[in-house]
Amino acid sequence: MEFTDCFPIWNELTDTQRQNLSATVTHRKLEKHAVVHRGNLDCTGLLLVQSGQLRAYALSDEGREITLYRLIELDICLFSASCVMRGIQFEVSIEAEKDTWVWVVPPNVYQTLMEESAAVANYTNELMSNRFSEVMWLMEQILWKRIDQRLSSFLLQESALEGTNTLSITHEKIANHLGSAREVVTRMLRYFQSEGLVKLSRGQVELVNLKGLASLRGD
């Protein structure tokens, strides 16, 4: 799979723009747990995921994390190039949740494309709008959903994403995803286990009652 096959608006670029993009885009492998972007400290560039999985998260002054969204195959991350988005001040860090291959478009190259191409500018606005919608949905969950609803929803989403009902994940990692405290997550998981919804073991959470979890989520 080549970059030219995966960049959604490749065919809307001019020959010169395609040549400049092809000459500057880089192909990188990110090891699992590697942090590729650290908020406003970095201006990594546009990321296009070829394979693997990335996590975009916010980090509080106290060091607490909360997952904003995931990036899987063919997803594009704009916040890693936020330095070229005038007026956007959004502290997002990005880490690889699995070994991941990405294409990286340098920020200055992408900025030039946005200035020259209406198609690129429109596509960028659409991507940014979609990402902000995801973040706003997350904020609504935090504000209006109970922790048991959010936890059950996360477990079901993670199961679908990984393709298994047995999740290799720690309580602390779940807490980081949810922006909660590890103790709160542990207490709720033990409650889930007592209700026959999950089975806990060291470093693993097995989902044993999907219908029950879905009902708790509100399905």
Side-chain angles (χ1 to χ4, degrees):
M1 190 177 346
E2 299 297 327
F3 176 80
T4 55
D5 300 320
C6 300
F7 192 60
I9 51 175
W10 178 260
N11 292 332
E12 298 184 51
L13 303 178
T14 66
D15 289 340
T16 300
Q17 290 167 344
R18 292 178 190 173
Q19 291 170 6
N20 290 339
L21 192 52
S22 296
T24 54
V25 68
T26 57
H27 198 212
R28 292 177 57 187
K29 181 181 180 181
L30 307 175
E31 301 290 340
K32 184 177 180 179
H33 302 313
V35 177
V36 65
H37 181 78
R38 297 181 184 274
N40 288 338
L41 296 176
D42 296 333
C43 192
T44 307
L46 186 83
L47 299 179
L48 172 55
V49 179
Q50 180 188 28
S51 62
Q53 184 172 302
L54 303 178
R55 176 176 79 106
Y57 63 96
L59 188 65
S60 73
D61 293 338
E62 295 77 24
R64 181 172 292 180
E65 298 177 7
I66 183 167
T67 298
L68 300 175
Y69 53 86
R70 256 67 172 275
L71 298 158
I72 58 176
E73 184 176 323
L74 301 185
D75 278 343
I76 288 177
C77 186
L78 278 173
F79 286 126
S80 55
S82 59
C83 58
V84 303
M85 311 297 172
R86 295 184 179 91
I88 297 295
Q89 296 294 324
F90 200 58
E91 290 278 353
V92 174
S93 296
I94 300 169
E95 71 165 351
E97 292 194 295
K98 302 176 180 179
D99 289 345
T100 302
W101 281 97
V102 297
W103 286 287
V104 184
V105 179
N108 60 312
V109 173
Y110 197 74
Q111 182 174 25
T112 299
L113 281 176
M114 286 195 299
E115 293 170 352
E116 293 179 348
S117 170
V120 174
N122 291 337
Y123 181 66
T124 300
N125 289 335
E126 181 181 346
L127 278 178
M128 192 64 72
S129 176
N130 289 339
R131 290 300 176 210
F132 271 121
S133 294
E134 291 181 45
V135 173
M136 289 304 299
W137 177 87
L138 174 64
M139 294 301 104
E140 290 178 357
Q141 299 299 301
I142 294 172
L143 288 171
W144 310 120
K145 294 287 187 179
R146 302 188 311 266
I147 185 63
D148 58 339
Q149 293 175 305
R150 294 177 58 215
L151 178 56
S152 60
S153 179
F154 170 78
L155 293 175
L156 291 170
Q157 289 173 359
E158 194 74 5
S159 174
L161 193 62
E162 297 296 330
T164 177
N165 291 340
T166 301
L167 306 178
S168 297
I169 190 169
T170 64
H171 297 189
E172 183 174 4
K173 191 68 174 177
I174 295 173
N176 287 342
H177 280 294
L178 298 179
S180 184
R182 180 185 58 79
E183 295 80 5
V184 173
V185 169
T186 295
R187 185 164 59 248
M188 191 57 61
L189 283 172
R190 287 174 179 169
Y191 168 72
F192 281 8
Q193 181 170 247
S194 71
E195 293 293 307
L197 301 174
V198 303
K199 181 179 180 181
L200 304 177
S201 56
R202 187 174 181 83
Q204 286 191 334
V205 179
E206 181 183 357
L207 281 57
V208 296
N209 186 345
L210 299 181
K211 288 184 178 180
L213 288 168
S215 175
L216 187 61
R217 181 176 64 179
D219 289 3

